[in-house]
Amino acid sequence: MNAATLPFRSAVILGAGLMGRLLAVTLAQAGCKVEVFDAGGPEADGAAARVAAAMLAPLAESAIAPPSVVRMGHYALNRWPVLLESLAAPVFFQRAGTLVLWHRQDAPEAARLARMLAHTGELVPELPAMKSLDAAGIAALEPALGQRFAHGLLLPEEGQLDNRGLLAALLATLQAMPNVQLHWQAPRSIDDFDAGGTGQPERVIDCRGLGARPQWGALRGVRGEVIRVHAPEVALQRPTRLVHPRYPLYIAPKPGQVFVIGGTEIESDDMSPASVRSTLELLSAAYSVHSGFAEARILEIATQCRPTLPDNLPAFRQPRPGVMQINGLYRHGFMIAPAILDVAMELLATGHSALASRFDLAPSLETVLP
């Protein structure tokens, strides 16, 4: 898409998290003059995207996500390499599948999960079929785990990327573009702009997440807690999930023997530090997967709240002409961001999106009262 296909040549983007940066780069590459306003700094310290494992796992997430989100995630797996190729710096990206494991006492829960994933495969047949593994199959994929687990599942072609590396690469790309202006520590809302007015941007796009609650009252925060560790004694080649009776633990290996461990999900917008209980549970579960985590060094224990709408689904709306709001990506931000980006670009170009119907999203921008 280029400037000739867009009905505007200037845009303001509010919020420089994942969606804000992706849209800013894409619009600037299309020839638009873009201004970005963010309440924080260039490191995205206040963004939910900075505290994430960035797993691209549509089948794994189908345990809690509807088919529409699964289809968005599957679509995004092929879009990410294209988006990353256009950035100013390389970003770690992997599609080695997701490994799902369980301890003997959790076999009934694992059987229930396997039935759910099989049902998803029927609803979304384009997904690669999951594969059942025995101990030898697990060892072939992850040699360190074959002696610890007798059964598992492989969800082929699922992936992950380095969330902080991506945010940094998007920033470097924007900083190098002459038609982009970045404003840090500069909070703005849609009420500060009259899109299309004299001297005003032609479009305003609100990607502020929970920062948009004053204008989108249905938003709520869903708290997550993530631990980053450096574990030289742990060798894992792909994201690994442990079936658990209360929450699904995940371990995502990143470059440099860094591992992101998470799984807690709390209906709260509390941004206080992680509890002792959550920290103990996450680290104990990780140790039960691989004993090498006993000697890992904790780099960070972080908390963040994901912006979530009542149905846990993403949404677009247009509170007034020239203003678009994008929100509610919940825990699936990295998994579905390219799909949301492409729908947004179609809506910005024509006001309608053929792709949106594929993902059960509203196919056009209609005025919605605040």
Side-chain angles (χ1 to χ4, degrees):
M1 187 173 293
N2 55 51
T5 64
L6 291 171
F8 58 92
R9 292 184 176 274
S10 66
V12 158
I13 294 176
L14 308 181
L18 175 61
M19 282 309 308
R21 295 185 189 207
L22 281 172
L23 269 166
V25 167
T26 304
L27 287 171
Q29 289 172 339
C32 284
K33 177 185 177 183
V34 177
E35 286 191 81
V36 180
F37 291 86
D38 192 87
E43 301 305 315
D45 289 332
R50 186 170 174 81
V51 182
M55 292 181 296
L56 315 175
L59 182 53
E61 284 295 302
S62 72
I64 62 166
S68 60
V69 171
V70 175
R71 288 194 294 271
M72 288 184 224
H74 184 252
Y75 171 93
L77 277 167
N78 291 322
R79 282 288 286 132
W80 270 121
V82 178
L83 294 171
L84 297 179
E85 191 174 321
S86 70
L87 301 183
V91 177
F92 168 74
F93 173 81
Q94 177 193 62
R95 288 189 69 176
T98 299
L99 183 61
V100 181
L101 302 171
W102 56 89
H103 296 297
R104 189 183 307 275
Q105 67 269 22
D106 296 322
E109 182 68 17
R112 186 186 72 84
L113 174 63
R115 289 192 296 270
M116 293 177 62
L117 300 187
H119 181 59
T120 298
E122 295 172 359
L123 297 175
V124 190
E126 60 266 33
L127 288 173
M130 66 180 178
K131 299 178 181 179
S132 296
L133 302 172
D134 57 14
I138 294 170
L141 294 172
E142 300 288 357
L145 304 182
Q147 299 296 316
R148 301 178 71 89
F149 296 93
H151 301 283
L153 298 170
L154 176 67
L155 313 185
E157 299 183 26
E158 295 196 334
Q160 64 160 328
L161 52 77
D162 178 3
N163 62 318
R164 294 181 181 180
L166 173 62
L167 292 171
L170 288 166
L171 175 63
T173 304
L174 291 169
Q175 290 172 329
M177 304 179 93
N179 53 332
V180 174
Q181 288 185 306
L182 303 172
H183 306 277
W184 306 113
Q185 284 80 44
R188 298 288 189 277
S189 82
I190 57 175
D191 298 331
D192 296 323
F193 297 92
D194 177 17
T198 303
Q200 294 289 312
E202 296 175 72
R203 294 293 184 276
V204 175
I205 307 166
D206 186 356
C207 302
R208 289 176 295 153
L210 289 174
R213 273 195 289 191
Q215 292 79 36
W216 199 334
L219 283 164
R220 74 187 197 279
V222 177
R223 175 184 168 99
E225 299 166 335
V226 168
I227 302 174
R228 285 178 174 258
V229 302
H230 180 240
E233 296 185 21
V234 176
L236 293 177
Q237 303 303 314
R238 56 187 50 76
T240 300
R241 298 190 179 217
L242 181 68
V243 176
H244 189 280
R246 283 204 310 280
Y247 56 81
L249 174 94
Y250 59 75
I251 303 170
K254 304 300 182 183
Q257 294 300 115
V258 171
F259 296 82
V260 178
I261 302 166
T264 59
E265 184 167 296
I266 303 166
E267 283 286 344
S268 170
D269 57 7
D270 175 18
M271 294 286 288
S272 64
S275 68
V276 170
R277 176 180 176 178
S278 293
T279 302
L280 287 173
E281 288 183 339
L282 288 174
L283 292 178
S284 296
Y287 173 73
S288 77
V289 172
H290 195 302
S291 60
F293 282 114
E295 296 303 319
R297 296 298 181 259
I298 297 173
L299 303 176
E300 178 182 313
I301 302 175
T303 60
Q304 187 53 266
C305 291
R306 301 101 157 193
T308 309
L309 291 165
D311 58 4
N312 292 353
L313 298 176
F316 296 82
R317 72 175 194 173
Q318 180 175 270
R320 62 179 186 268
V323 178
M324 174 194 280
Q325 292 182 289
I326 306 171
N327 222 311
L329 274 66
Y330 180 37
R331 59 181 280 163
H332 305 124
F334 285 90
M335 189 179 85
I336 67 175
I340 298 298
L341 172 68
D342 289 354
V343 170
M345 291 301 293
E346 288 185 348
L347 291 172
L348 289 167
T350 67
H352 299 271
S353 170
L355 190 59
S357 59
R358 178 174 166 185
F359 303 137
D360 297 337
L361 296 169
S364 64
L365 282 178
E366 298 176 354
T367 300
V368 180
L369 294 177

